[in-house]
Amino acid sequence: MKFFVDTADVAAIKELNDLGMVDGVTTNPSLILKSGRDIIEVTKEICDMVEGPVSAEVVAEKAEDMIREGTKLAAIAPNIAIKVPLTWDGLKACRHFSDAGHMVNVTLCFSAAQAILAAKAGATFISPFIGRLDDIHLDGVDLIADIREIYDNYGYETQILAASIRSVNHIIEVGKIGTDVITAPPSVIKSMINHPLTDKGLAQFNEDWAKTGQKIG
Ligand code: E4P
């Protein structure tokens, strides 16, 4: 399972990247707002640090405007994946950039039907938003299973990038289904390490070790 970090917080990306845990990064306009940084500057800084794909999102609505914006974003670094929304204009821009040899991440996917269209438009990544489906009492994990089955049936090469991940359980469930990639906030990735029995076991070992009166090194 590839790990993308869903943030434009450079320090948070660096912390996980130094551990070799970052296979890529996803950003969106809300995350750029949260960073308080200029989109071009912060995206360049991330691209210089991370070897894998770094998604940077267009904000225009018309395909020709998306193509203009995406061309500017793609010029930041060779590892940019241009992120376009799942609209007909977004799919036109996807086809344009895919034909030109760029990576494209088609975002805001909420149905298997949309995911089929993105694959046919040449998307490198499809981003189904599972947390936002859960928010409206639908099952986001089921959507990942549906897309996995359909993509495998037809050999689509578009990678499933499970997005809008809110919990460790989301990561485990989409991993069991066989998502290609997950993108999650650094806080969720870091919380994967938590287990009360690890804490309890460590406390016991420390207590017993103190009783031995020994030192290592
Ligand atoms: C993915 O590319 C999106 O940036 C992100 O996962 C959206 O997550 P949210 O629904 O928690 O905002």
Side-chain angles (χ1 to χ4, degrees), residues 19-130:
L19 285 169
M21 295 208 178
V22 177
D23 300 305
V25 172
T26 51
T27 66
N28 63 36
S30 305
L31 293 171
I32 296 295
L33 172 68
K34 200 171 166 191
S35 76
R37 303 272 314 270
D38 172 81
I39 184 171
I40 304 293
E41 281 176 22
V42 73
T43 306
K44 173 144 186 40
E45 206 174 318
I46 296 168
C47 287
D48 287 346
M49 183 191 342
V50 172
E51 277 184 27
V54 175
S55 290
E57 187 162 345
V58 302
V59 292
E61 289 182 16
K62 297 277 177 225
E64 64 197 58
D65 297 328
M66 289 184 196
I67 289 168
R68 182 176 40 77
E69 290 179 355
T71 302
K72 190 162 181 193
L73 294 172
I76 295 173
N79 55 334
I80 285 285
I82 304 157
K83 206 171 178 188
V84 300
L86 222 161
T87 60
W88 285 115
D89 284 279
L91 294 181
K92 280 184 204 165
C94 176
R95 172 51 63 199
H96 169 88
F97 287 123
S98 175
D99 286 349
H102 292 292
M103 290 185 286
V104 186
N105 177 357
V106 178
T107 189
L108 290 168
C109 171
F110 293 95
S111 77
Q114 291 178 321
I116 293 170
L117 293 177
K120 294 189 80 68
T124 316
F125 302 104
I126 181 69
S127 288
F129 277 32
I130 66 177

Side-chain angles (χ1 to χ4, degrees), residues 136-156:
I136 59 163
H137 308 294
L138 294 172
D139 194 328
V141 170
D142 278 355
L143 174 59
I144 301 295
D146 288 347
I147 298 172
R148 178 76 286 156
E149 184 177 347
I150 294 166
Y151 277 13
D152 288 351
N153 282 347
Y154 296 98
Y156 291 137

